[in-house]
Short mmCIF file of all heavy atoms in Angstrom, two decimals:
data_model
loop_
_atom_site.label_atom_id
_atom_site.label_comp_id
_atom_site.label_asym_id
_atom_site.label_seq_id
_atom_site.Cartn_x
_atom_site.Cartn_y
_atom_site.Cartn_z
N TRP E 1 -17.25 -4.55 31.75
CA TRP E 1 -16.17 -4.39 32.73
C TRP E 1 -16.67 -4.71 34.14
O TRP E 1 -15.91 -5.21 34.97
CB TRP E 1 -15.61 -2.97 32.69
CG TRP E 1 -15.23 -2.49 31.33
CD1 TRP E 1 -15.55 -1.30 30.75
CD2 TRP E 1 -14.44 -3.19 30.33
NE1 TRP E 1 -15.03 -1.20 29.49
CE2 TRP E 1 -14.34 -2.35 29.20
CE3 TRP E 1 -13.83 -4.44 30.30
CZ2 TRP E 1 -13.64 -2.72 28.06
CZ3 TRP E 1 -13.14 -4.81 29.15
CH2 TRP E 1 -13.05 -3.97 28.06
N ASP E 2 -17.95 -4.40 34.42
CA ASP E 2 -18.51 -4.78 35.72
C ASP E 2 -18.63 -6.29 35.85
O ASP E 2 -18.35 -6.87 36.90
CB ASP E 2 -19.88 -4.12 35.92
CG ASP E 2 -19.77 -2.73 36.50
OD1 ASP E 2 -18.72 -2.42 37.09
OD2 ASP E 2 -20.72 -1.96 36.37
N ARG E 3 -19.09 -6.95 34.78
CA ARG E 3 -19.20 -8.41 34.83
C ARG E 3 -17.84 -9.05 35.08
O ARG E 3 -17.73 -10.08 35.74
CB ARG E 3 -19.79 -8.94 33.53
CG ARG E 3 -21.23 -8.51 33.26
CD ARG E 3 -21.85 -9.34 32.14
NE ARG E 3 -23.11 -8.78 31.70
CZ ARG E 3 -23.29 -8.09 30.58
NH1 ARG E 3 -22.26 -7.89 29.78
NH2 ARG E 3 -24.46 -7.62 30.25
N LEU E 4 -16.80 -8.45 34.51
CA LEU E 4 -15.44 -8.98 34.69
C LEU E 4 -14.80 -8.51 35.99
O LEU E 4 -13.67 -8.88 36.29
CB LEU E 4 -14.57 -8.54 33.51
CG LEU E 4 -14.96 -9.16 32.16
CD1 LEU E 4 -14.29 -8.42 31.02
CD2 LEU E 4 -14.61 -10.64 32.11
N GLU E 5 -15.51 -7.65 36.74
CA GLU E 5 -15.08 -7.18 38.06
C GLU E 5 -13.73 -6.47 38.01
O GLU E 5 -12.86 -6.67 38.86
CB GLU E 5 -15.03 -8.35 39.06
CG GLU E 5 -16.39 -8.99 39.27
CD GLU E 5 -16.39 -10.05 40.37
OE1 GLU E 5 -15.29 -10.38 40.88
OE2 GLU E 5 -17.46 -10.55 40.71
N LEU E 6 -13.56 -5.61 37.01
CA LEU E 6 -12.32 -4.83 36.94
C LEU E 6 -12.31 -3.78 38.05
O LEU E 6 -13.27 -3.02 38.20
CB LEU E 6 -12.20 -4.13 35.59
CG LEU E 6 -11.99 -5.01 34.36
CD1 LEU E 6 -11.65 -4.15 33.16
CD2 LEU E 6 -10.92 -6.06 34.58
N PRO E 7 -11.25 -3.72 38.81
CA PRO E 7 -11.23 -2.78 39.95
C PRO E 7 -11.05 -1.33 39.55
O PRO E 7 -11.38 -0.43 40.32
CB PRO E 7 -10.04 -3.28 40.78
CG PRO E 7 -9.15 -3.97 39.81
CD PRO E 7 -10.06 -4.58 38.77
N THR E 8 -10.51 -1.06 38.34
CA THR E 8 -10.31 0.32 37.89
C THR E 8 -11.00 0.52 36.55
O THR E 8 -10.72 -0.19 35.58
CB THR E 8 -8.81 0.64 37.75
OG1 THR E 8 -8.17 0.42 39.01
CG2 THR E 8 -8.62 2.08 37.33
N GLN E 9 -11.93 1.47 36.50
CA GLN E 9 -12.69 1.76 35.28
C GLN E 9 -12.77 3.28 35.13
O GLN E 9 -13.38 3.96 35.95
CB GLN E 9 -14.10 1.17 35.35
CG GLN E 9 -14.14 -0.34 35.56
CD GLN E 9 -15.55 -0.83 35.83
OE1 GLN E 9 -16.52 -0.24 35.40
NE2 GLN E 9 -15.65 -1.94 36.55
N LEU E 10 -12.15 3.79 34.06
CA LEU E 10 -12.19 5.22 33.78
C LEU E 10 -12.87 5.44 32.45
O LEU E 10 -12.64 4.69 31.49
CB LEU E 10 -10.76 5.79 33.74
CG LEU E 10 -9.84 5.48 34.92
CD1 LEU E 10 -8.49 6.13 34.71
CD2 LEU E 10 -10.47 5.93 36.23
N TYR E 11 -13.71 6.47 32.36
CA TYR E 11 -14.48 6.73 31.15
C TYR E 11 -14.31 8.20 30.74
O TYR E 11 -14.39 9.10 31.58
CB TYR E 11 -15.96 6.44 31.38
CG TYR E 11 -16.26 5.01 31.75
CD1 TYR E 11 -16.39 4.63 33.08
CD2 TYR E 11 -16.40 4.04 30.77
CE1 TYR E 11 -16.66 3.31 33.42
CE2 TYR E 11 -16.66 2.72 31.10
CZ TYR E 11 -16.79 2.36 32.43
OH TYR E 11 -17.05 1.05 32.75
N VAL E 12 -14.11 8.40 29.44
CA VAL E 12 -14.14 9.75 28.86
C VAL E 12 -15.21 9.71 27.79
O VAL E 12 -15.11 8.96 26.81
CB VAL E 12 -12.78 10.14 28.25
CG1 VAL E 12 -12.88 11.53 27.63
CG2 VAL E 12 -11.68 10.09 29.31
N GLU E 13 -16.25 10.50 27.95
CA GLU E 13 -17.44 10.42 27.10
C GLU E 13 -17.87 11.82 26.68
O GLU E 13 -17.86 12.76 27.49
CB GLU E 13 -18.57 9.72 27.87
CG GLU E 13 -19.93 9.78 27.21
CD GLU E 13 -19.93 9.17 25.81
OE1 GLU E 13 -19.41 8.06 25.62
OE2 GLU E 13 -20.43 9.85 24.90
N ALA E 14 -18.25 11.96 25.40
CA ALA E 14 -18.64 13.27 24.87
C ALA E 14 -20.05 13.66 25.28
O ALA E 14 -20.37 14.85 25.35
CB ALA E 14 -18.53 13.26 23.35
N ARG E 15 -20.92 12.68 25.53
CA ARG E 15 -22.34 12.98 25.75
C ARG E 15 -22.67 13.00 27.23
O ARG E 15 -22.37 12.07 27.98
CB ARG E 15 -23.21 11.94 25.05
CG ARG E 15 -23.14 12.02 23.53
CD ARG E 15 -24.00 10.97 22.90
NE ARG E 15 -25.36 11.01 23.44
CZ ARG E 15 -26.26 10.04 23.25
NH1 ARG E 15 -25.93 8.98 22.54
NH2 ARG E 15 -27.48 10.14 23.76
N ALA E 16 -23.36 14.07 27.65
CA ALA E 16 -23.71 14.22 29.06
C ALA E 16 -24.67 13.14 29.52
O ALA E 16 -24.60 12.67 30.66
CB ALA E 16 -24.33 15.61 29.30
N ASP E 17 -25.62 12.69 28.64
CA ASP E 17 -26.58 11.68 29.07
C ASP E 17 -25.89 10.34 29.31
O ASP E 17 -26.26 9.60 30.22
CB ASP E 17 -27.71 11.53 28.04
CG ASP E 17 -27.19 11.21 26.64
OD1 ASP E 17 -26.04 11.55 26.34
OD2 ASP E 17 -27.96 10.62 25.85
N HIS E 18 -24.86 10.02 28.51
CA HIS E 18 -24.11 8.79 28.75
C HIS E 18 -23.35 8.87 30.07
O HIS E 18 -23.27 7.88 30.81
CB HIS E 18 -23.15 8.51 27.61
CG HIS E 18 -23.82 7.91 26.41
ND1 HIS E 18 -23.10 7.49 25.32
CD2 HIS E 18 -25.11 7.65 26.14
CE1 HIS E 18 -23.94 7.00 24.42
NE2 HIS E 18 -25.16 7.10 24.90
N CYS E 19 -22.78 10.04 30.35
CA CYS E 19 -22.09 10.21 31.62
C CYS E 19 -23.04 10.02 32.80
O CYS E 19 -22.71 9.36 33.79
CB CYS E 19 -21.45 11.60 31.69
SG CYS E 19 -20.08 11.85 30.53
N ALA E 20 -24.25 10.58 32.68
CA ALA E 20 -25.24 10.45 33.74
C ALA E 20 -25.67 8.99 33.91
O ALA E 20 -25.87 8.52 35.04
CB ALA E 20 -26.46 11.32 33.44
N GLU E 21 -25.79 8.28 32.80
CA GLU E 21 -26.15 6.86 32.86
C GLU E 21 -25.10 6.05 33.59
O GLU E 21 -25.41 5.17 34.41
CB GLU E 21 -26.36 6.32 31.45
CG GLU E 21 -26.90 4.91 31.40
CD GLU E 21 -27.17 4.45 29.97
OE1 GLU E 21 -27.45 5.32 29.12
OE2 GLU E 21 -27.09 3.24 29.73
N LEU E 22 -23.84 6.34 33.33
CA LEU E 22 -22.76 5.64 34.02
C LEU E 22 -22.75 5.98 35.51
O LEU E 22 -22.49 5.12 36.35
CB LEU E 22 -21.41 6.01 33.40
CG LEU E 22 -21.11 5.37 32.04
CD1 LEU E 22 -19.91 6.07 31.40
CD2 LEU E 22 -20.83 3.89 32.20
N GLU E 23 -23.04 7.24 35.82
CA GLU E 23 -23.06 7.66 37.23
C GLU E 23 -24.13 6.90 38.01
O GLU E 23 -23.95 6.61 39.20
CB GLU E 23 -23.32 9.17 37.34
CG GLU E 23 -22.19 10.04 36.83
CD GLU E 23 -21.05 10.16 37.83
OE1 GLU E 23 -21.10 9.48 38.87
OE2 GLU E 23 -20.11 10.92 37.54
N ARG E 24 -25.22 6.56 37.35
CA ARG E 24 -26.32 5.88 38.03
C ARG E 24 -26.05 4.40 38.28
O ARG E 24 -26.72 3.78 39.11
CB ARG E 24 -27.62 6.02 37.22
CG ARG E 24 -28.22 7.41 37.25
CD ARG E 24 -29.63 7.41 36.70
NE ARG E 24 -29.65 7.06 35.28
CZ ARG E 24 -29.59 7.95 34.29
NH1 ARG E 24 -29.48 9.24 34.57
NH2 ARG E 24 -29.62 7.56 33.03
N CYS E 25 -25.10 3.83 37.57
CA CYS E 25 -24.82 2.40 37.71
C CYS E 25 -24.25 2.11 39.10
O CYS E 25 -23.33 2.77 39.56
CB CYS E 25 -23.83 1.93 36.65
SG CYS E 25 -24.48 1.99 34.98
N GLU E 26 -24.82 1.09 39.75
CA GLU E 26 -24.32 0.70 41.06
C GLU E 26 -23.01 -0.06 40.91
O GLU E 26 -22.88 -0.91 40.03
CB GLU E 26 -25.35 -0.20 41.77
CG GLU E 26 -26.63 0.52 42.17
CD GLU E 26 -26.38 1.57 43.23
OE1 GLU E 26 -25.47 1.37 44.05
OE2 GLU E 26 -27.08 2.59 43.23
N PRO E 27 -22.02 0.21 41.77
CA PRO E 27 -20.75 -0.51 41.69
C PRO E 27 -20.93 -1.99 42.02
O PRO E 27 -21.66 -2.35 42.92
CB PRO E 27 -19.87 0.19 42.73
CG PRO E 27 -20.82 0.83 43.67
CD PRO E 27 -22.03 1.20 42.86
N VAL E 28 -20.26 -2.83 41.24
CA VAL E 28 -20.30 -4.27 41.46
C VAL E 28 -19.14 -4.71 42.33
O VAL E 28 -19.25 -5.60 43.16
CB VAL E 28 -20.28 -5.02 40.11
CG1 VAL E 28 -20.15 -6.53 40.31
CG2 VAL E 28 -21.55 -4.71 39.32
N VAL E 29 -17.98 -4.10 42.14
CA VAL E 29 -16.78 -4.47 42.87
C VAL E 29 -16.60 -3.50 44.04
O VAL E 29 -16.44 -2.30 43.83
CB VAL E 29 -15.54 -4.41 41.95
CG1 VAL E 29 -14.29 -4.86 42.70
CG2 VAL E 29 -15.76 -5.27 40.72
N PRO E 30 -16.63 -3.99 45.29
CA PRO E 30 -16.41 -3.09 46.43
C PRO E 30 -15.04 -2.43 46.33
O PRO E 30 -14.04 -3.06 45.99
CB PRO E 30 -16.48 -4.04 47.63
CG PRO E 30 -17.25 -5.23 47.14
CD PRO E 30 -16.92 -5.37 45.70
N GLY E 31 -15.01 -1.13 46.58
CA GLY E 31 -13.75 -0.41 46.53
C GLY E 31 -13.25 -0.12 45.13
O GLY E 31 -12.10 0.30 44.96
N ARG E 32 -14.10 -0.33 44.15
CA ARG E 32 -13.69 -0.08 42.76
C ARG E 32 -13.38 1.41 42.55
O ARG E 32 -14.06 2.27 43.07
CB ARG E 32 -14.81 -0.51 41.83
CG ARG E 32 -14.55 -0.20 40.36
CD ARG E 32 -15.74 -0.58 39.51
NE ARG E 32 -16.94 0.13 39.92
CZ ARG E 32 -18.15 -0.07 39.41
NH1 ARG E 32 -18.31 -0.98 38.49
NH2 ARG E 32 -19.19 0.62 39.83
N ARG E 33 -12.33 1.67 41.78
CA ARG E 33 -12.00 3.05 41.41
C ARG E 33 -12.65 3.35 40.08
O ARG E 33 -12.35 2.72 39.07
CB ARG E 33 -10.48 3.24 41.32
CG ARG E 33 -10.09 4.68 40.99
CD ARG E 33 -8.61 4.90 41.20
NE ARG E 33 -7.81 4.37 40.11
CZ ARG E 33 -7.40 5.09 39.06
NH1 ARG E 33 -7.77 6.35 38.94
NH2 ARG E 33 -6.65 4.54 38.13
N ARG E 34 -13.57 4.32 40.09
CA ARG E 34 -14.30 4.66 38.87
C ARG E 34 -14.34 6.16 38.73
O ARG E 34 -14.62 6.89 39.69
CB ARG E 34 -15.72 4.11 38.95
CG ARG E 34 -16.48 4.23 37.65
CD ARG E 34 -17.90 3.74 37.84
NE ARG E 34 -18.37 3.03 36.68
CZ ARG E 34 -19.62 2.60 36.54
NH1 ARG E 34 -20.48 2.79 37.50
NH2 ARG E 34 -19.99 1.98 35.46
N ALA E 35 -14.04 6.65 37.52
CA ALA E 35 -14.09 8.08 37.24
C ALA E 35 -14.70 8.29 35.87
O ALA E 35 -14.46 7.51 34.95
CB ALA E 35 -12.70 8.69 37.31
N ILE E 36 -15.52 9.33 35.74
CA ILE E 36 -16.20 9.64 34.49
C ILE E 36 -15.92 11.10 34.15
O ILE E 36 -16.18 12.00 34.96
CB ILE E 36 -17.71 9.41 34.62
CG1 ILE E 36 -17.99 7.96 35.05
CG2 ILE E 36 -18.43 9.72 33.31
CD1 ILE E 36 -19.38 7.74 35.60
N VAL E 37 -15.37 11.34 32.97
CA VAL E 37 -15.02 12.69 32.53
C VAL E 37 -15.79 12.98 31.25
O VAL E 37 -15.75 12.19 30.30
CB VAL E 37 -13.50 12.82 32.28
CG1 VAL E 37 -13.17 14.20 31.73
CG2 VAL E 37 -12.73 12.53 33.56
N GLU E 38 -16.48 14.12 31.22
CA GLU E 38 -17.19 14.54 30.01
C GLU E 38 -16.25 15.40 29.17
O GLU E 38 -15.85 16.49 29.58
CB GLU E 38 -18.45 15.32 30.36
CG GLU E 38 -19.27 15.71 29.13
CD GLU E 38 -20.52 16.51 29.49
OE1 GLU E 38 -20.91 16.52 30.68
OE2 GLU E 38 -21.11 17.12 28.58
N ALA E 39 -15.86 14.89 28.00
CA ALA E 39 -14.94 15.62 27.13
C ALA E 39 -14.97 15.01 25.74
O ALA E 39 -15.30 13.83 25.57
CB ALA E 39 -13.52 15.56 27.69
N VAL E 40 -14.63 15.84 24.74
CA VAL E 40 -14.47 15.38 23.36
C VAL E 40 -12.98 15.41 23.05
O VAL E 40 -12.33 16.45 23.20
CB VAL E 40 -15.24 16.28 22.37
CG1 VAL E 40 -15.08 15.76 20.95
CG2 VAL E 40 -16.71 16.35 22.75
N LEU E 41 -12.42 14.28 22.64
CA LEU E 41 -10.98 14.17 22.44
C LEU E 41 -10.60 14.19 20.97
O LEU E 41 -11.34 13.71 20.12
CB LEU E 41 -10.45 12.88 23.09
CG LEU E 41 -10.64 12.74 24.59
CD1 LEU E 41 -9.90 11.50 25.09
CD2 LEU E 41 -10.19 13.98 25.34
N GLY E 42 -9.43 14.75 20.71
CA GLY E 42 -8.88 14.76 19.36
C GLY E 42 -7.37 14.74 19.42
O GLY E 42 -6.78 14.39 20.45
N ALA E 43 -6.73 15.13 18.32
CA ALA E 43 -5.28 15.12 18.25
C ALA E 43 -4.67 16.38 18.86
O ALA E 43 -3.51 16.36 19.29
CB ALA E 43 -4.82 14.98 16.80
N GLU E 44 -5.43 17.48 18.90
CA GLU E 44 -4.93 18.73 19.43
C GLU E 44 -6.04 19.43 20.22
O GLU E 44 -7.23 19.19 20.00
CB GLU E 44 -4.46 19.65 18.30
CG GLU E 44 -3.30 19.10 17.48
CD GLU E 44 -2.92 20.04 16.35
OE1 GLU E 44 -3.71 20.99 16.08
OE2 GLU E 44 -1.86 19.83 15.75
N VAL E 45 -5.62 20.32 21.10
CA VAL E 45 -6.58 21.15 21.83
C VAL E 45 -7.13 22.20 20.87
O VAL E 45 -6.39 22.78 20.08
CB VAL E 45 -5.89 21.83 23.03
CG1 VAL E 45 -6.86 22.77 23.74
CG2 VAL E 45 -5.35 20.79 24.00
N GLY E 46 -8.45 22.40 20.92
CA GLY E 46 -9.06 23.38 20.02
C GLY E 46 -10.57 23.30 20.09
O GLY E 46 -11.15 23.13 21.16
#
């Protein structure tokens, strides 16, 4: 997504180390909107 210079990139990831790795990545697109949420998703809350 960085190579393609997408201005909006949102991530939902279960693993904390993957979230930290994404946080360390330098932005390629100036003014890019990027958000990283640590969560495990399913069909219902539980």
